[in-house]
Amino acid sequence: MIKRVLSGIRATGRLHLGNYLGAVKGMLELQNDPGYETLFMVADIHTITTPFNIDELRKNRREVITDYLAAGLNPEKSIIFLQSEVSEHIELAFYFSSVTTIARMQHLPTYKDKVKQHPGHNTMALLNYPVLMAADILIYKASLVPVGIDQEPHLEVTREIARKMNQQYGTDFPEPVRFATKGEYIPSLKGEGKMSKSVEGSYINMTDDLDTIKIKLSKVPTDSGKEGGPIPKIGGVRSLYELYKLFAPEKFDEDFTKPYESGLIRYQSLKNHLAEITYKELKPIQEKRKKLETDIAFVDNVIKEGAEKARTIASKTVNEVRQKMGLL
Ligand code: ADP
Ligand code: TRP
């Protein structure tokens, strides 16, 4: 049987390099493998689990679709859609919530982090975040999910829900696993934590021009460069290390390891070179994006057709579940 793949990104803004390297690159790899049927959505309902602005949300849903298409997701190969247009996800999430304890949800590190970030906004929707994500994946019986490593706790919950549903109601949900890319964890440009939209100064946007990338990289904190010895796997040096390794693997030893070990590394020129090779990869994506921005009818059509195709699969699963649970 052909394997299904599903992934999504919340509609919180333009995509950054962490999203691209940790998630979108995995989506592209699987889309272009004929062994898989791929579905990629914008998780716009997940976006309302933390405080949001209505106009921004409306705009960002489309921005993420446009970023997907610009990066190479192809509506002829993948089903590309908005989560909110397939309301069956919400229905299935409610059924799933009947096999999920509150305690399990409250102990998730992702939940605790979000409550810390938004202390006045500890809502039912936020607590239900992983249950809705499980529904997103299992409604298509997807077994492979290209996401960054930070999403692993949510996949664990998805597998638990699949197991419980199968045991209690005789459904046939798979236990999905994460599809990891080489960039499954891109560190922040600030040298602490991961690159993230919610931390100003931590990220490079996929739409940044060369000068902006140069300025951002020039601010990455480093050591003196004269230390020598093994490269430290912490702080800004690690961030540069991870990015350099991904963008220039063949020159990594020559440009990074050897100069570092001998205490001769010159960060300024290394950063400039990193900016150039990063931009080189982003430039064609940015050019394609510019064209897509003016092709409103094309993007509208992708969204419309994607929803129709997704709905056909989703409604079938929901009907099966209703039947098995005695609701039909
Ligand atoms: P953010 O943390 O910036 O809000 P999201 O939570 O919307 O990003 O993540 C969208 C996708 O991008 C997920 O698959 C996530 O794992 C991946 N991702 C986000 N940040 C990174 C990162 N720094 N490194 C690798 N993958 C990442
Ligand atoms: N939780 C994911 C994130 O923050 C977004 C998401 C929602 C998702 N539903 C999904 C990812 C289903 C993969 C599959 O990035």
Side-chain angles (χ1 to χ4, degrees):
M1 208 177 81
I2 197 153
K3 276 195 163 190
R4 279 216 187 107
V5 173
L6 178 120
S7 190
I9 295 184
R10 286 176 307 143
T12 45
R14 295 277 180 92
L15 300 194
H16 57 72
L17 218 49
N19 301 139
Y20 176 62
L21 298 166
V24 178
K25 277 214 145 181
M27 299 183 192
L28 287 168
E29 200 178 323
L30 294 169
Q31 164 186 271
N32 296 324
D33 183 331
Y36 297 101
E37 183 180 345
T38 44
L39 295 107
F40 302 118
M41 59 167 209
V42 177
D44 53 352
I45 306 174
H46 277 105
T47 312
I48 70 164
T49 61
T50 44
F52 69 101
N53 173 292
I54 296 170
D55 294 328
E56 295 271 314
L57 172 59
R58 196 167 282 128
K59 186 170 123 268
N60 287 334
R61 299 190 322 154
R62 211 183 160 86
E63 297 281 20
V64 178
I65 294 272
T66 311
D67 279 331
Y68 277 170
L69 295 169
L73 292 193
N74 179 347
E76 283 169 22
K77 294 184 177 170
S78 296
I79 300 178
I80 300 169
F81 66 104
L82 296 171
Q83 180 190 33
S84 62
E85 295 209 350
V86 189
S87 52
E88 284 86 350
H89 289 220
I90 302 176
E91 184 178 347
L92 188 62
F94 196 84
Y95 303 150
F96 283 179
S97 73
S98 73
V99 296
T100 312
T101 65
I102 296 169
R104 176 70 175 99
M105 296 297 100
Q106 281 174 328
H107 285 117
L108 283 170
T110 40
Y111 170 73
K112 289 184 188 160
D113 285 352
K114 283 283 179 318
V115 172
K116 231 184 253 167
Q117 266 176 34
H118 311 282
H121 209 268
N122 188 359
T123 63
M124 287 299 295
L126 184 62
L127 192 64
N128 260 312
Y129 186 112
V131 182
L132 179 59
M133 180 159 160
D136 297 334
I137 299 166
L138 296 175
I139 206 163
Y140 302 104
K141 302 191 180 168
S143 51
L144 207 52
V145 184
V147 281
I149 202 163
D150 60 303
Q151 295 299 309
E152 195 58 70
H154 292 152
L155 285 176
E156 188 60 48
V157 169
T158 304
R159 290 188 285 270
E160 283 170 26
I161 290 179
R163 238 175 280 142
K164 280 198 187 143
M165 289 296 295
N166 293 348
Q167 274 163 9
Q168 289 189 28
Y169 302 111
T171 47
D172 63 349
F173 290 119
E175 290 187 29
V177 293
R178 190 169 69 89
F179 179 75
T181 62
K182 286 198 189 101
E184 63 178 12
Y185 181 90
I186 305 298
S188 159
L189 297 184
K190 296 178 108 172
E192 219 175 280
K194 71 160 195 148
M195 185 177 283
S196 171
K197 251 169 287 187
S198 46
V199 183
E200 207 42 56
S202 78
Y203 57 86
I204 290 172
N205 266 328
M206 285 182 71
T207 42
D208 284 346
D209 60 24
L210 180 58
D211 279 347
T212 309
I213 299 175
K214 278 191 176 160
I215 292 167
K216 286 184 177 177
L217 285 178
S218 72
K219 290 184 185 153
V220 175
T222 58
D223 51 26
S224 70
K226 296 187 186 117
E227 260 94 318
I231 303 173
K233 300 277 167 50
I234 50 161
V237 177
R238 179 193 174 194
S239 310
L240 295 174
Y241 167 101
E242 297 287 348
L243 289 173
Y244 212 90
K245 201 158 186 182
L246 285 167
F247 285 109
E250 68 293 339
K251 295 192 69 197
F252 185 74
D253 276 349
E254 186 189 328
D255 290 356
F256 208 125
T257 316
K258 282 185 193 149
Y260 191 93
E261 284 173 357
S262 49
L264 294 168
I265 194 160
R266 292 192 50 241
Y267 286 117
Q268 196 50 45
S269 66
L270 185 106
K271 285 173 166 182
N272 271 332
H273 186 56
L274 179 58
E276 272 152 23
I277 50 182
T278 304
Y279 181 65
K280 198 168 159 224
E281 178 144 348
L282 296 181
K283 192 169 171 239
I285 301 177
Q286 295 179 1
E287 283 165 359
K288 191 157 173 211
R289 196 182 205 287
K290 281 221 176 77
K291 286 197 195 117
L292 286 161
E293 279 164 9
T294 57
D295 203 347
I296 293 165
F298 174 73
V299 176
D300 282 347
N301 197 45
V302 168
I303 294 174
K304 185 168 159 281
E305 287 190 352
E308 281 164 13
K309 289 181 196 157
R311 241 179 256 132
T312 308
I313 311 173
S315 61
K316 200 163 155 257
T317 306
V318 166
N319 269 335
E320 264 168 41
V321 172
R322 296 180 86 198
Q323 180 86 42
K324 302 254 184 202
M325 290 181 82
L327 293 164
L328 197 73

